[in-house]
Amino acid sequence: INSHAMKAQAVANEDLINLRGYITAEDASRYQSLARSGVMIDVTHSNLIQRHIELRFDLYDTVSYLKEKIHRQTGTPPAFQQLFLRSSGVNIHELSEDDRMLGYYSVENGMEVHCVDMDPNSGSRQGAYEDTSLVKRYQMSDEDYDKRNGTLRDWGRKKKEKDPTFSLSKHAEEHRQMVEARRAFRLGEELPLGWTVDEDGSLVKLTPEDDEPTVNLPASLDAENLSIKYGSASVSDISIRMRCEVHPGARRGNVAYVGLVPEIAGGEGYWV
């Protein structure tokens, strides 16, 4: 192994050590908030993947109380629970006497109580509580879907009644063109073919009956009037950092630039 590889490996090892130290930094004090007779244990179940971690008990609690709590967590009745006390995955004791306290079995923080479900008709068998693939999903027939109002199919049907040439793909393409036209209009760019600006300064789509799909600008925006309409006098009262509101759009902000923009094609006049 060359020196670069050894150095990279050393850095990786150091990062892992630091990460482990960060994660386990409070391990020594994690149980200090417990009462003197308090204990935190994990509970696992023979039919469940889920692990119930750090459940709080008292060493004076009985095995019967433990079973009641496991019943609430897992659904297995106490009569069908066989409990084993584990440490590091190894069985230490069977908690077989319901009247005994947990302290009798030397239960300590971090240990695990494993519940074996002895109920032959348990509801949690074969992943019934956790495996979502076992849940029967509702499927609507085409006939029932056709009868519903307000669905995509119903909307498309009504559109086709008004326009026999309508299709979802055609609608999607027209929507894409509209979004692109709005973007170009907002940025002052050349509009896509089939779109224009009306006399009110609003973006409109040309109909098939329009013979000349040209952009009709208001008279005040004709090329002959640009030098007068948008000359230096038009921005004489505007300065950087002034508050402003943009129309159309009604967006408010601060003026960041006032002057000519030669990079914009056809952008004669002063810009703000």
PDB file of all heavy atoms in Angstrom, residues 219-249:
ATOM      1  N   ALA A 219     -49.428  51.825 -28.737  1.00  0.00           N
ATOM      2  CA  ALA A 219     -48.776  52.893 -29.495  1.00  0.00           C
ATOM      3  C   ALA A 219     -47.613  53.492 -28.728  1.00  0.00           C
ATOM      4  O   ALA A 219     -46.605  53.916 -29.301  1.00  0.00           O
ATOM      5  CB  ALA A 219     -49.801  53.979 -29.845  1.00  0.00           C
ATOM      6  N   SER A 220     -47.723  53.548 -27.400  1.00  0.00           N
ATOM      7  CA  SER A 220     -46.667  54.150 -26.597  1.00  0.00           C
ATOM      8  C   SER A 220     -45.375  53.350 -26.649  1.00  0.00           C
ATOM      9  O   SER A 220     -44.328  53.832 -26.255  1.00  0.00           O
ATOM     10  CB  SER A 220     -47.122  54.274 -25.142  1.00  0.00           C
ATOM     11  OG  SER A 220     -47.449  52.994 -24.629  1.00  0.00           O
ATOM     12  N   LEU A 221     -45.448  52.103 -27.168  1.00  0.00           N
ATOM     13  CA  LEU A 221     -44.249  51.271 -27.216  1.00  0.00           C
ATOM     14  C   LEU A 221     -43.696  51.149 -28.621  1.00  0.00           C
ATOM     15  O   LEU A 221     -42.804  50.355 -28.866  1.00  0.00           O
ATOM     16  CB  LEU A 221     -44.570  49.870 -26.679  1.00  0.00           C
ATOM     17  CG  LEU A 221     -45.042  49.801 -25.233  1.00  0.00           C
ATOM     18  CD1 LEU A 221     -45.267  48.354 -24.841  1.00  0.00           C
ATOM     19  CD2 LEU A 221     -44.022  50.433 -24.302  1.00  0.00           C
ATOM     20  N   ASP A 222     -44.237  51.906 -29.606  1.00  0.00           N
ATOM     21  CA  ASP A 222     -43.706  51.867 -30.964  1.00  0.00           C
ATOM     22  C   ASP A 222     -42.263  52.321 -30.971  1.00  0.00           C
ATOM     23  O   ASP A 222     -41.829  53.148 -30.172  1.00  0.00           O
ATOM     24  CB  ASP A 222     -44.530  52.762 -31.896  1.00  0.00           C
ATOM     25  CG  ASP A 222     -45.917  52.181 -32.139  1.00  0.00           C
ATOM     26  OD1 ASP A 222     -46.097  50.973 -31.867  1.00  0.00           O
ATOM     27  OD2 ASP A 222     -46.799  52.941 -32.580  1.00  0.00           O
ATOM     28  N   ALA A 223     -41.498  51.823 -31.948  1.00  0.00           N
ATOM     29  CA  ALA A 223     -40.068  52.126 -32.014  1.00  0.00           C
ATOM     30  C   ALA A 223     -39.806  53.625 -32.106  1.00  0.00           C
ATOM     31  O   ALA A 223     -38.823  54.128 -31.564  1.00  0.00           O
ATOM     32  CB  ALA A 223     -39.451  51.403 -33.216  1.00  0.00           C
ATOM     33  N   GLU A 224     -40.705  54.353 -32.812  1.00  0.00           N
ATOM     34  CA  GLU A 224     -40.497  55.793 -32.980  1.00  0.00           C
ATOM     35  C   GLU A 224     -40.582  56.530 -31.652  1.00  0.00           C
ATOM     36  O   GLU A 224     -39.986  57.590 -31.475  1.00  0.00           O
ATOM     37  CB  GLU A 224     -41.536  56.361 -33.954  1.00  0.00           C
ATOM     38  CG  GLU A 224     -41.418  55.792 -35.361  1.00  0.00           C
ATOM     39  CD  GLU A 224     -42.493  56.338 -36.282  1.00  0.00           C
ATOM     40  OE1 GLU A 224     -43.336  57.136 -35.784  1.00  0.00           O
ATOM     41  OE2 GLU A 224     -42.479  55.986 -37.461  1.00  0.00           O
ATOM     42  N   ASN A 225     -41.344  55.980 -30.701  1.00  0.00           N
ATOM     43  CA  ASN A 225     -41.550  56.678 -29.438  1.00  0.00           C
ATOM     44  C   ASN A 225     -40.658  56.166 -28.305  1.00  0.00           C
ATOM     45  O   ASN A 225     -40.706  56.706 -27.198  1.00  0.00           O
ATOM     46  CB  ASN A 225     -43.011  56.544 -28.990  1.00  0.00           C
ATOM     47  CG  ASN A 225     -43.960  57.171 -29.999  1.00  0.00           C
ATOM     48  OD1 ASN A 225     -43.637  58.186 -30.601  1.00  0.00           O
ATOM     49  ND2 ASN A 225     -45.105  56.542 -30.193  1.00  0.00           N
ATOM     50  N   LEU A 226     -39.867  55.092 -28.575  1.00  0.00           N
ATOM     51  CA  LEU A 226     -39.069  54.500 -27.510  1.00  0.00           C
ATOM     52  C   LEU A 226     -38.076  55.489 -26.919  1.00  0.00           C
ATOM     53  O   LEU A 226     -37.903  55.584 -25.706  1.00  0.00           O
ATOM     54  CB  LEU A 226     -38.319  53.262 -28.031  1.00  0.00           C
ATOM     55  CG  LEU A 226     -39.130  51.962 -28.050  1.00  0.00           C
ATOM     56  CD1 LEU A 226     -38.349  50.873 -28.745  1.00  0.00           C
ATOM     57  CD2 LEU A 226     -39.499  51.557 -26.637  1.00  0.00           C
ATOM     58  N   SER A 227     -37.388  56.237 -27.815  1.00  0.00           N
ATOM     59  CA  SER A 227     -36.358  57.145 -27.334  1.00  0.00           C
ATOM     60  C   SER A 227     -36.928  58.240 -26.451  1.00  0.00           C
ATOM     61  O   SER A 227     -36.250  58.743 -25.555  1.00  0.00           O
ATOM     62  CB  SER A 227     -35.606  57.764 -28.526  1.00  0.00           C
ATOM     63  OG  SER A 227     -36.528  58.466 -29.355  1.00  0.00           O
ATOM     64  N   ILE A 228     -38.196  58.589 -26.712  1.00  0.00           N
ATOM     65  CA  ILE A 228     -38.829  59.633 -25.902  1.00  0.00           C
ATOM     66  C   ILE A 228     -39.469  59.031 -24.659  1.00  0.00           C
ATOM     67  O   ILE A 228     -39.304  59.526 -23.547  1.00  0.00           O
ATOM     68  CB  ILE A 228     -39.905  60.378 -26.751  1.00  0.00           C
ATOM     69  CG1 ILE A 228     -39.246  61.026 -27.969  1.00  0.00           C
ATOM     70  CG2 ILE A 228     -40.624  61.407 -25.901  1.00  0.00           C
ATOM     71  CD1 ILE A 228     -40.244  61.682 -28.916  1.00  0.00           C
ATOM     72  N   LYS A 229     -40.188  57.920 -24.872  1.00  0.00           N
ATOM     73  CA  LYS A 229     -40.934  57.322 -23.779  1.00  0.00           C
ATOM     74  C   LYS A 229     -40.006  56.783 -22.695  1.00  0.00           C
ATOM     75  O   LYS A 229     -40.288  56.891 -21.498  1.00  0.00           O
ATOM     76  CB  LYS A 229     -41.812  56.193 -24.339  1.00  0.00           C
ATOM     77  CG  LYS A 229     -42.678  55.488 -23.291  1.00  0.00           C
ATOM     78  CD  LYS A 229     -43.760  56.389 -22.761  1.00  0.00           C
ATOM     79  CE  LYS A 229     -44.678  55.649 -21.811  1.00  0.00           C
ATOM     80  NZ  LYS A 229     -45.719  56.530 -21.245  1.00  0.00           N
ATOM     81  N   TYR A 230     -38.875  56.155 -23.116  1.00  0.00           N
ATOM     82  CA  TYR A 230     -37.974  55.522 -22.153  1.00  0.00           C
ATOM     83  C   TYR A 230     -36.567  56.126 -22.211  1.00  0.00           C
ATOM     84  O   TYR A 230     -35.564  55.417 -22.111  1.00  0.00           O
ATOM     85  CB  TYR A 230     -37.913  54.014 -22.412  1.00  0.00           C
ATOM     86  CG  TYR A 230     -39.261  53.349 -22.251  1.00  0.00           C
ATOM     87  CD1 TYR A 230     -39.917  52.790 -23.342  1.00  0.00           C
ATOM     88  CD2 TYR A 230     -39.880  53.312 -21.007  1.00  0.00           C
ATOM     89  CE1 TYR A 230     -41.165  52.202 -23.186  1.00  0.00           C
ATOM     90  CE2 TYR A 230     -41.129  52.733 -20.850  1.00  0.00           C
ATOM     91  CZ  TYR A 230     -41.767  52.174 -21.948  1.00  0.00           C
ATOM     92  OH  TYR A 230     -43.005  51.598 -21.794  1.00  0.00           O
ATOM     93  N   GLY A 231     -36.492  57.425 -22.364  1.00  0.00           N
ATOM     94  CA  GLY A 231     -35.211  58.107 -22.343  1.00  0.00           C
ATOM     95  C   GLY A 231     -34.734  58.325 -20.919  1.00  0.00           C
ATOM     96  O   GLY A 231     -35.347  57.874 -19.939  1.00  0.00           O
ATOM     97  N   SER A 232     -33.641  59.063 -20.775  1.00  0.00           N
ATOM     98  CA  SER A 232     -33.069  59.299 -19.452  1.00  0.00           C
ATOM     99  C   SER A 232     -34.025  60.063 -18.542  1.00  0.00           C
ATOM    100  O   SER A 232     -33.998  59.897 -17.318  1.00  0.00           O
ATOM    101  CB  SER A 232     -31.752  60.062 -19.583  1.00  0.00           C
ATOM    102  OG  SER A 232     -31.976  61.310 -20.241  1.00  0.00           O
ATOM    103  N   ALA A 233     -34.902  60.890 -19.150  1.00  0.00           N
ATOM    104  CA  ALA A 233     -35.854  61.654 -18.338  1.00  0.00           C
ATOM    105  C   ALA A 233     -36.856  60.741 -17.643  1.00  0.00           C
ATOM    106  O   ALA A 233     -37.378  61.078 -16.582  1.00  0.00           O
ATOM    107  CB  ALA A 233     -36.589  62.672 -19.215  1.00  0.00           C
ATOM    108  N   SER A 234     -37.103  59.542 -18.247  1.00  0.00           N
ATOM    109  CA  SER A 234     -38.099  58.637 -17.658  1.00  0.00           C
ATOM    110  C   SER A 234     -37.619  58.010 -16.360  1.00  0.00           C
ATOM    111  O   SER A 234     -38.431  57.493 -15.588  1.00  0.00           O
ATOM    112  CB  SER A 234     -38.461  57.534 -18.659  1.00  0.00           C
ATOM    113  OG  SER A 234     -37.334  56.707 -18.912  1.00  0.00           O
ATOM    114  N   VAL A 235     -36.306  58.054 -16.113  1.00  0.00           N
ATOM    115  CA  VAL A 235     -35.763  57.444 -14.890  1.00  0.00           C
ATOM    116  C   VAL A 235     -35.037  58.466 -14.026  1.00  0.00           C
ATOM    117  O   VAL A 235     -34.286  58.108 -13.129  1.00  0.00           O
ATOM    118  CB  VAL A 235     -34.811  56.274 -15.241  1.00  0.00           C
ATOM    119  CG1 VAL A 235     -35.570  55.155 -15.928  1.00  0.00           C
ATOM    120  CG2 VAL A 235     -33.654  56.762 -16.108  1.00  0.00           C
ATOM    121  N   SER A 236     -35.258  59.749 -14.310  1.00  0.00           N
ATOM    122  CA  SER A 236     -34.534  60.791 -13.580  1.00  0.00           C
ATOM    123  C   SER A 236     -34.858  60.800 -12.092  1.00  0.00           C
ATOM    124  O   SER A 236     -34.039  61.219 -11.270  1.00  0.00           O
ATOM    125  CB  SER A 236     -34.830  62.162 -14.205  1.00  0.00           C
ATOM    126  OG  SER A 236     -36.232  62.439 -14.140  1.00  0.00           O
ATOM    127  N   ASP A 237     -36.068  60.353 -11.718  1.00  0.00           N
ATOM    128  CA  ASP A 237     -36.477  60.373 -10.315  1.00  0.00           C
ATOM    129  C   ASP A 237     -36.251  59.035  -9.610  1.00  0.00           C
ATOM    130  O   ASP A 237     -36.705  58.834  -8.476  1.00  0.00           O
ATOM    131  CB  ASP A 237     -37.956  60.758 -10.194  1.00  0.00           C
ATOM    132  CG  ASP A 237     -38.229  62.156 -10.703  1.00  0.00           C
ATOM    133  OD1 ASP A 237     -37.335  63.020 -10.550  1.00  0.00           O
ATOM    134  OD2 ASP A 237     -39.324  62.375 -11.251  1.00  0.00           O
ATOM    135  N   ILE A 238     -35.585  58.097 -10.303  1.00  0.00           N
ATOM    136  CA  ILE A 238     -35.367  56.758  -9.740  1.00  0.00           C
ATOM    137  C   ILE A 238     -33.895  56.586  -9.410  1.00  0.00           C
ATOM    138  O   ILE A 238     -33.023  56.922 -10.218  1.00  0.00           O
ATOM    139  CB  ILE A 238     -35.815  55.665 -10.728  1.00  0.00           C
ATOM    140  CG1 ILE A 238     -37.303  55.834 -11.068  1.00  0.00           C
ATOM    141  CG2 ILE A 238     -35.560  54.268 -10.151  1.00  0.00           C
ATOM    142  CD1 ILE A 238     -37.799  54.853 -12.107  1.00  0.00           C
ATOM    143  N   SER A 239     -33.618  56.065  -8.227  1.00  0.00           N
ATOM    144  CA  SER A 239     -32.221  55.843  -7.820  1.00  0.00           C
ATOM    145  C   SER A 239     -32.085  54.458  -7.195  1.00  0.00           C
ATOM    146  O   SER A 239     -33.075  53.810  -6.824  1.00  0.00           O
ATOM    147  CB  SER A 239     -31.783  56.907  -6.812  1.00  0.00           C
ATOM    148  OG  SER A 239     -32.617  56.882  -5.664  1.00  0.00           O
ATOM    149  N   ILE A 240     -30.859  54.005  -7.079  1.00  0.00           N
ATOM    150  CA  ILE A 240     -30.577  52.689  -6.504  1.00  0.00           C
ATOM    151  C   ILE A 240     -31.084  52.619  -5.061  1.00  0.00           C
ATOM    152  O   ILE A 240     -30.998  53.578  -4.306  1.00  0.00           O
ATOM    153  CB  ILE A 240     -29.060  52.400  -6.553  1.00  0.00           C
ATOM    154  CG1 ILE A 240     -28.532  52.507  -7.993  1.00  0.00           C
ATOM    155  CG2 ILE A 240     -28.755  51.009  -5.986  1.00  0.00           C
ATOM    156  CD1 ILE A 240     -29.164  51.528  -8.947  1.00  0.00           C
ATOM    157  N   ARG A 241     -31.619  51.436  -4.706  1.00  0.00           N
ATOM    158  CA  ARG A 241     -32.119  51.114  -3.375  1.00  0.00           C
ATOM    159  C   ARG A 241     -33.474  51.746  -3.048  1.00  0.00           C
ATOM    160  O   ARG A 241     -33.947  51.626  -1.920  1.00  0.00           O
ATOM    161  CB  ARG A 241     -31.100  51.456  -2.274  1.00  0.00           C
ATOM    162  CG  ARG A 241     -29.870  50.538  -2.299  1.00  0.00           C
ATOM    163  CD  ARG A 241     -29.013  50.760  -1.064  1.00  0.00           C
ATOM    164  NE  ARG A 241     -28.389  52.066  -1.072  1.00  0.00           N
ATOM    165  CZ  ARG A 241     -27.249  52.356  -1.694  1.00  0.00           C
ATOM    166  NH1 ARG A 241     -26.608  51.399  -2.354  1.00  0.00           N
ATOM    167  NH2 ARG A 241     -26.726  53.557  -1.652  1.00  0.00           N
ATOM    168  N   MET A 242     -34.087  52.418  -4.019  1.00  0.00           N
ATOM    169  CA  MET A 242     -35.442  52.909  -3.807  1.00  0.00           C
ATOM    170  C   MET A 242     -36.412  51.730  -3.799  1.00  0.00           C
ATOM    171  O   MET A 242     -36.185  50.709  -4.445  1.00  0.00           O
ATOM    172  CB  MET A 242     -35.851  53.893  -4.912  1.00  0.00           C
ATOM    173  CG  MET A 242     -35.218  55.260  -4.823  1.00  0.00           C
ATOM    174  SD  MET A 242     -35.812  56.370  -6.140  1.00  0.00           S
ATOM    175  CE  MET A 242     -37.555  56.472  -5.741  1.00  0.00           C
ATOM    176  N   ARG A 243     -37.491  51.861  -3.049  1.00  0.00           N
ATOM    177  CA  ARG A 243     -38.537  50.844  -3.067  1.00  0.00           C
ATOM    178  C   ARG A 243     -39.350  50.978  -4.347  1.00  0.00           C
ATOM    179  O   ARG A 243     -39.561  52.088  -4.854  1.00  0.00           O
ATOM    180  CB  ARG A 243     -39.461  51.005  -1.856  1.00  0.00           C
ATOM    181  CG  ARG A 243     -38.810  50.703  -0.531  1.00  0.00           C
ATOM    182  CD  ARG A 243     -38.507  49.239  -0.375  1.00  0.00           C
ATOM    183  NE  ARG A 243     -39.724  48.435  -0.318  1.00  0.00           N
ATOM    184  CZ  ARG A 243     -39.742  47.104  -0.357  1.00  0.00           C
ATOM    185  NH1 ARG A 243     -38.598  46.434  -0.503  1.00  0.00           N
ATOM    186  NH2 ARG A 243     -40.873  46.446  -0.278  1.00  0.00           N
ATOM    187  N   CYS A 244     -39.796  49.829  -4.898  1.00  0.00           N
ATOM    188  CA  CYS A 244     -40.549  49.876  -6.141  1.00  0.00           C
ATOM    189  C   CYS A 244     -41.532  48.709  -6.197  1.00  0.00           C
ATOM    190  O   CYS A 244     -41.432  47.757  -5.421  1.00  0.00           O
ATOM    191  CB  CYS A 244     -39.609  49.825  -7.350  1.00  0.00           C
ATOM    192  SG  CYS A 244     -38.690  48.273  -7.474  1.00  0.00           S
ATOM    193  N   GLU A 245     -42.489  48.828  -7.124  1.00  0.00           N
ATOM    194  CA  GLU A 245     -43.438  47.750  -7.384  1.00  0.00           C
ATOM    195  C   GLU A 245     -43.497  47.527  -8.876  1.00  0.00           C
ATOM    196  O   GLU A 245     -43.655  48.470  -9.656  1.00  0.00           O
ATOM    197  CB  GLU A 245     -44.827  48.088  -6.845  1.00  0.00           C
ATOM    198  CG  GLU A 245     -45.846  46.970  -7.073  1.00  0.00           C
ATOM    199  CD  GLU A 245     -47.163  47.237  -6.361  1.00  0.00           C
ATOM    200  OE1 GLU A 245     -47.137  47.448  -5.135  1.00  0.00           O
ATOM    201  OE2 GLU A 245     -48.214  47.240  -7.046  1.00  0.00           O
ATOM    202  N   VAL A 246     -43.343  46.284  -9.305  1.00  0.00           N
ATOM    203  CA  VAL A 246     -43.254  45.946 -10.721  1.00  0.00           C
ATOM    204  C   VAL A 246     -44.638  45.576 -11.249  1.00  0.00           C
ATOM    205  O   VAL A 246     -45.377  44.832 -10.603  1.00  0.00           O
ATOM    206  CB  VAL A 246     -42.276  44.763 -10.931  1.00  0.00           C
ATOM    207  CG1 VAL A 246     -42.192  44.403 -12.412  1.00  0.00           C
ATOM    208  CG2 VAL A 246     -40.905  45.115 -10.393  1.00  0.00           C
ATOM    209  N   HIS A 247     -44.968  46.113 -12.427  1.00  0.00           N
ATOM    210  CA  HIS A 247     -46.214  45.767 -13.109  1.00  0.00           C
ATOM    211  C   HIS A 247     -45.896  45.318 -14.525  1.00  0.00           C
ATOM    212  O   HIS A 247     -45.076  45.944 -15.205  1.00  0.00           O
ATOM    213  CB  HIS A 247     -47.152  46.979 -13.143  1.00  0.00           C
ATOM    214  CG  HIS A 247     -47.653  47.391 -11.804  1.00  0.00           C
ATOM    215  ND1 HIS A 247     -48.639  46.717 -11.121  1.00  0.00           N
ATOM    216  CD2 HIS A 247     -47.272  48.420 -10.990  1.00  0.00           C
ATOM    217  CE1 HIS A 247     -48.859  47.317  -9.964  1.00  0.00           C
ATOM    218  NE2 HIS A 247     -48.043  48.352  -9.860  1.00  0.00           N
ATOM    219  N   PRO A 248     -46.528  44.181 -15.015  1.00  0.00           N
ATOM    220  CA  PRO A 248     -47.491  43.346 -14.273  1.00  0.00           C
ATOM    221  C   PRO A 248     -46.766  42.449 -13.264  1.00  0.00           C
ATOM    222  O   PRO A 248     -45.559  42.246 -13.357  1.00  0.00           O
ATOM    223  CB  PRO A 248     -48.145  42.517 -15.377  1.00  0.00           C
ATOM    224  CG  PRO A 248     -47.079  42.385 -16.412  1.00  0.00           C
ATOM    225  CD  PRO A 248     -46.335  43.697 -16.396  1.00  0.00           C
ATOM    226  N   GLY A 249     -47.519  41.922 -12.332  1.00  0.00           N
ATOM    227  CA  GLY A 249     -46.971  41.022 -11.332  1.00  0.00           C
ATOM    228  C   GLY A 249     -47.088  41.527  -9.923  1.00  0.00           C
ATOM    229  O   GLY A 249     -47.153  40.763  -8.977  1.00  0.00           O
TER     230      GLY A 249
END
